Amino acid sequence: MYAHGLVFGKFYPFHKGHHYLIRRAMEESAHVTVVVCSLLSETIPGVLRHAWVHQSVKEMLTEPEFAGKTADVIHLDQTVPQEPSEHPDFWAIWTGLLEGYLTPAHPKFDALFTSEDYGFQMADCLNCTHVLVDKERLTHPVSGTLCRRFLNDKAGTHPEFTRFFQEYADIQTKAPEPFHHRIVIVGSESTGKSTMTEKLADQLHAAAVLEYGRTYTDQFPLTGIQDFYILLQKQLHLFLHTPLEAVKNPILICDTDAIVTQTFADLYFPLREKEFDVLAEQHIHAYRQHADLYLFLKPTVKWVDDGTRLHEHYQEFAAQRIKERLDKYGIAYAEIDHPDYDVRTEQAFQAVKKVLG
């Protein structure tokens, strides 16, 4: 058992071979540092790849076999040489960068896990053992080049894609499910979004997409802005690619969108990287393109503390921020504004009926 294992790479994109490599490091190390390297010129955002790896490691740490183990997932976005031929001090540069992530709790690397021969020299530079994992790609016959080719060719899917990359690829390349109408429900906490979604779906015999953030936080605590990248991607994927199943009417009612997710990021992580808001804006445009109507639930019902919400004092701020963004992006919406839940539901139903014709 190694005290401190290291994995680093571009994860461009994050596929099952990468997942297997990290898992091996986790199995054989008490603590693992995973460094996700990216360049601005790369087409799949580095911050998103970092979020995918971060979430995957977080999930591994909940498994019984990894009880007591720890890990750090770090994003390295500096522009540095990518090959030894690019700079005479290539190995010294990378040694300095990687050793910069050592801490008093973990003062040295004991093992470097890679699937490439360069790992032997890098391990020598770091004065640690090199563990070569599945160099021939027999366990997972996949590469980042293959994944990117599938993405560029709009080829759809591959059994070696992680779900994180598959959802990203679907959003980028796959035609949305052919719902005739899509309704999006937005609002601050404790305004009845989830209940409204379920009631409208029941009344209209429609499909419902619930807020993924609630599902997510029931399993994992929010530990960083990386969580919100996952929430952005998953919610949009559900909005576009929830299957058109055996519902009487081809209508989708969706609780929450990228505006709501971005607004909650304002509350939890106001000091964040600008790339998050760039991605959020891209997602907002996707919702706007495919949504027929937004229902904006104003905070005029009684606040209910369910044990997971922030605080009533944030409700009005969040509602105002959501409204400002709806207006900023020119999104048509109906305001639902009444203190009685039944009246609110009827207001929403009548607004949707106008859109359905």
Side-chain angles (χ1 to χ4, degrees):
M1 175 70 69
Y2 299 104
H4 188 184
L6 170 66
V7 180
F8 75 101
K10 290 189 174 186
F11 306 95
Y12 183 38
F14 181 47
H15 54 64
K16 289 185 179 178
H18 296 136
H19 186 276
Y20 177 69
L21 176 65
I22 295 171
R23 190 173 189 88
R24 278 286 302 275
M26 297 276 288
E27 289 170 348
E28 299 182 29
S29 310
H31 178 81
V32 174
T33 295
V34 184
V35 182
V36 181
C37 311
S38 70
L39 298 172
L40 289 175
S41 59
E42 292 161 352
T43 55
I44 303 172
V47 287
L48 191 56
R49 283 139 51 196
H50 176 232
W52 295 343
V53 176
H54 180 269
Q55 179 58 24
S56 184
V57 169
K58 183 186 288 191
E59 291 173 2
M60 288 185 204
L61 289 172
T62 67
E63 298 178 27
E65 67 181 283
F66 296 130
K69 297 195 175 188
T70 56
D72 293 315
V73 182
I74 296 162
H75 184 200
L76 169 61
D77 61 355
Q78 295 183 42
T79 301
V80 292
Q82 303 297 294
E83 300 288 344
S85 60
E86 294 180 13
H87 198 285
D89 296 326
F90 174 86
W91 296 105
I93 290 170
W94 276 96
T95 300
L97 285 171
L98 295 172
E99 288 183 339
Y101 299 123
L102 294 172
T103 66
H106 306 287
K108 70 179 294 290
F109 297 117
D110 298 285
L112 170 65
F113 294 78
T114 82
S115 298
E116 307 285 352
D117 285 334
Y118 73 78
F120 289 103
Q121 186 161 353
M122 191 74 255
D124 284 344
C125 293
L126 294 169
N127 194 28
C128 68
T129 300
H130 179 226
V131 181
L132 186 62
V133 178
D134 196 23
K135 176 185 174 183
E136 294 78 17
R137 311 298 195 268
L138 299 178
T139 305
H140 292 285
V142 65
S143 69
T145 301
L146 172 68
C147 294
R148 294 192 299 276
R149 186 170 73 242
F150 268 72
L151 188 64
N152 293 336
D153 295 344
K154 303 185 187 303
T157 189
H158 187 280
E160 294 297 333
F161 291 174
T162 60
R163 74 179 189 279
F164 304 103
F165 175 61
Q166 185 58 58
E167 289 173 0
Y168 175 82
D170 286 349
I171 290 170
Q172 301 297 317
T173 66
K174 187 177 175 183
E177 288 288 322
F179 285 97
H180 291 178
H181 298 283
R182 282 183 167 85
I183 311 299
V184 180
I185 299 177
V186 298
S188 52
E189 287 184 319
S190 192
T191 53
K193 296 190 300 297
S194 299
T195 301
M196 181 77 74
T197 299
E198 293 172 340
K199 285 187 174 182
L200 286 179
D202 184 60
Q203 287 180 326
L204 297 167
H205 304 285
V209 170
L210 299 181
E211 179 189 2
Y212 180 69
R214 177 58 62 91
T215 302
Y216 183 88
T217 53
D218 283 346
Q219 297 177 287
F220 305 105
L222 296 175
T223 56
I225 191 62
Q226 299 87 357
D227 296 300
F228 282 82
Y229 282 101
I230 299 297
L231 300 186
L232 276 178
Q233 175 171 296
K234 183 67 176 183
Q235 192 74 47
L236 180 58
H237 183 264
L238 290 170
F239 175 70
L240 295 176
H241 299 298
T242 289
L244 176 57
E245 296 175 341
V247 291
K248 185 174 180 180
N249 294 315
I251 301 167
L252 182 73
I253 313 295
C254 184
D255 170 6
T256 298
D257 77 327
I259 287 177
V260 175
T261 304
Q262 186 182 25
T263 300
F264 281 102
D266 293 342
L267 298 175
Y268 282 94
F269 301 105
L271 301 177
R272 58 179 181 258
E273 55 212 8
K274 65 180 185 301
E275 288 84 356
F276 175 82
D277 297 290
V278 171
L279 184 65
E281 183 170 347
Q282 293 172 358
H283 284 209
I284 289 167
H285 288 305
Y287 283 97
R288 184 180 65 175
Q289 179 183 354
H290 296 285
D292 297 277
L293 175 69
Y294 268 63
L295 298 174
F296 172 48
L297 309 191
K298 297 190 71 175
T300 47
V301 289
K302 184 179 179 180
W303 169 269
V304 177
D305 185 357
D306 65 358
T308 65
R309 291 171 176 152
L310 280 170
H311 194 281
E312 184 176 2
H313 295 160
Y314 295 104
Q315 189 185 44
E316 188 59 45
F317 167 83
Q320 184 61 34
R321 185 63 61 87
I322 290 167
K323 188 176 187 302
E324 288 171 356
R325 285 178 169 140
L326 289 170
D327 294 334
K328 173 184 176 181
Y329 293 106
I331 295 172
Y333 59 93
E335 287 192 0
I336 307 302
D337 183 12
H338 198 280
D340 183 87
Y341 282 103
D342 290 334
V343 175
R344 288 164 79 88
T345 301
E346 181 59 25
Q347 287 178 342
F349 183 66
Q350 292 304 321
V352 173
K353 279 181 64 177
K354 290 180 182 178
V355 171
L356 301 182

